[in-house]
Amino acid sequence: MPDIPCGGQIFDFAFHPNQPIVYTGLITGEVKAFGYDEQGNHDSRFVCKPSKKSCRSLELNTSGEKLWSVGKAKTLHTIDTTTGQVSDARKDIHEAPINRVKHIMENMLVTGDDDGVVKLWDTRTPEMIREYTHHYDFISDFMWIQDKKHLVVTSGDGTLSVLDVRNKKKEPFAHSEDQEDELLSIVSIKAGSKVVVGTQLGILSIFNKNKGWGDCVDRVPGHPSSIDALCALPSSYPSSHSTILTGSSDGLLRAVQLLPTKLIGVIADHGDFPIERMHVDMGGEGRWVGSAGHEEMLKMTDLKDVFEDEDDGEDEGDVESEKEEEGTAVADLSGKGMGSDMEADEEAPVVEDKDSDDEEEEAPQEKKRKRQKQEKDELAGRKKKGKNQIDSEPSFFSGL
């Protein structure tokens, strides 16, 4: 599918849960909706501008009728997707710019800001339900665990926390040790038994829920740049339980199998622009994966072209043995030597985020790039080796 031009830098986007419609939030404060089809055609559905300041995060309810937007203006806007008009605005709900919003239950939202504050909201009442202040740096991502009613929060302060939204206490249910790295993105694998976190140094940290949230059980180095976005494959693919999509600041969208570790391939290339948001359409079960960075367009990649020839029995043995699952090998995830013409340099240039008009630079982008880039070997060496991680000669991966 051809890229969808949006006329401004995309900070976030959201797919309608059951219709071929995508909503984009721009640095200009605009929210633009586009329809698309399998032939690669797209059309504009509506444009609205809830705020003059940048829109950093978007979220839809389960029916797709309501779209929530948050950003630098510290306001929660509700947009009616049928009319394209703002139906509600809650102003100054945070003291710092809001970086993330997540719909977790029918009438419940959660927001996270640049100062690490997380707030729980009931959409039917104007006042917040609860506030959490245990993080001290920007909230980078949320993950909802439906059966436990737990919200997993990642932060730039290097820790991960778990909130039990049913508990009235303001303390988290669990709080990890300092991982000595900014935690930027999160996704679950292995039917939810394990959680993968993307970091500033390009390491995938794996947490095992059955062993608690205190520390990760494995670290998988290999990405030459920060891992800003993670998402799961549609469940229709046989390897979806162990394969994830990673979006990195080197501009490459990779398909990576974990436990054991294997780079399946590079499936999209944003050139010199980092990938900071990534989602699969149709509620995560669709055909298209969208990715966005600092360009003024949304890149749409057809997953069928990448995975249609996948061997149905490739990973069946992986599920049966927990011991085999955690026998992780260190793989080269850079994308080089994989037979792909979309190769990335280890030292990808950093594209500075420039706001429009009188806007200041966005805080999350500044923070996520405040560490100086280092060589890949040094990135892996700064972290203590995971208990199941092994060192291998480079020739081990030459044939992958």
Side-chain angles (χ1 to χ4, degrees), residues 8-23:
Q9 180 182 324
I10 304 170
F11 268 17
D12 197 11
F13 65 95
F15 285 109
H16 193 284
N18 48 48
Q19 295 181 27
I21 303 173
V22 62
Y23 306 90

Side-chain angles (χ1 to χ4, degrees), residues 153-390:
V153 184
T154 57
S155 171
D157 64 12
T159 66
L160 169 153
S161 66
V162 182
L163 309 179
D164 186 345
V165 301
R166 298 168 298 182
N167 195 321
K168 294 182 179 180
K169 294 181 179 179
K170 295 184 179 181
E171 292 76 26
F173 170 79
H175 200 168
S176 76
E177 299 175 4
D178 187 354
Q179 302 298 296
E180 300 177 3
D181 194 0
E182 295 178 10
L183 308 185
L184 304 179
S185 50
I186 187 169
V187 71
S188 65
I189 60 171
K190 303 290 184 181
S193 65
K194 291 181 173 61
V195 171
V196 183
V197 177
T199 71
Q200 173 71 20
L201 294 180
I203 295 171
L204 291 169
S205 296
I206 302 176
F207 289 77
N208 187 331
K209 290 198 304 181
N210 297 326
K211 296 184 178 180
W213 297 97
D215 199 1
C216 62
V217 296
D218 278 296
R219 293 183 177 94
V220 181
H223 286 76
S225 302
S226 63
I227 305 167
D228 296 351
L230 294 173
C231 76
L233 279 181
S235 59
S236 58
Y237 294 109
S239 65
S240 62
H241 67 281
S242 61
T243 302
I244 60 173
L245 303 177
T246 69
S248 177
S249 60
D250 66 0
L252 298 183
L253 192 160
R254 298 169 172 85
V256 178
Q257 176 184 296
L258 296 172
L259 306 173
T261 303
K262 175 185 176 183
L263 173 62
I264 295 176
V266 176
I267 64 175
D269 186 356
H270 284 248
D272 292 339
F273 297 101
I275 299 173
E276 296 190 340
R277 291 290 192 272
M278 180 171 55
H279 305 288
V280 175
D281 70 344
M282 299 298 168
E285 297 295 332
R287 170 180 177 178
W288 302 96
V289 56
S291 53
H294 289 182
E295 311 108 304
E296 297 185 354
M297 59 87 180
L298 177 66
K299 182 177 286 292
M300 301 280 281
T301 304
D302 190 351
L303 290 174
K304 287 187 178 180
D305 291 344
V306 181
F307 295 100
E308 61 183 3
D309 296 327
E310 192 176 64
D311 183 0
D312 289 352
E314 182 179 359
D315 297 305
E316 288 178 358
D318 243 7
V319 187
E320 297 176 358
S321 171
E322 182 73 16
K323 185 175 180 181
E324 290 179 2
E325 282 179 359
E326 297 187 357
T328 307
V330 180
D332 180 5
L333 304 181
S334 65
K336 298 185 178 182
M338 299 299 297
S340 169
D341 58 353
M342 294 182 287
E343 298 182 353
D345 296 328
E346 282 195 3
E347 293 297 328
V350 177
V351 181
E352 296 295 333
D353 178 21
K354 296 183 179 179
D355 217 327
S356 63
D357 301 328
D358 297 328
E359 299 256 340
E360 301 174 1
E361 280 195 356
E362 285 293 304
Q365 280 70 22
E366 288 180 358
K367 292 175 183 175
K368 285 159 65 176
R369 286 159 182 80
K370 66 184 178 184
R371 288 194 172 102
Q372 185 176 358
K373 292 202 179 276
Q374 304 179 35
E375 295 297 329
K376 182 168 64 177
D377 289 343
E378 294 177 0
L379 298 184
R382 283 190 61 178
K383 306 293 284 188
K384 61 183 180 180
K385 187 167 72 174
K387 66 178 182 179
N388 296 309
Q389 179 177 306
I390 63 172

Side-chain angles (χ1 to χ4, degrees), residues 112-162:
D113 68 23
D114 281 354
D115 289 343
V117 176
V118 176
K119 294 188 178 185
L120 198 62
W121 304 90
D122 187 326
T123 58
R124 298 165 297 183
T125 60
E127 301 298 325
M128 71 175 178
I129 301 173
R130 206 167 298 122
E131 179 182 59
Y132 303 90
T133 58
H134 53 279
H135 288 293
Y136 62 85
D137 207 342
F138 68 97
I139 301 302
S140 57
D141 208 355
F142 292 125
M143 186 186 75
W144 177 243
I145 303 176
Q146 177 63 34
D147 58 340
K148 298 288 186 179
K149 299 297 186 289
H150 284 174
L151 178 73
V152 187
V153 184
T154 57
S155 171
D157 64 12
T159 66
L160 169 153
S161 66
V162 182

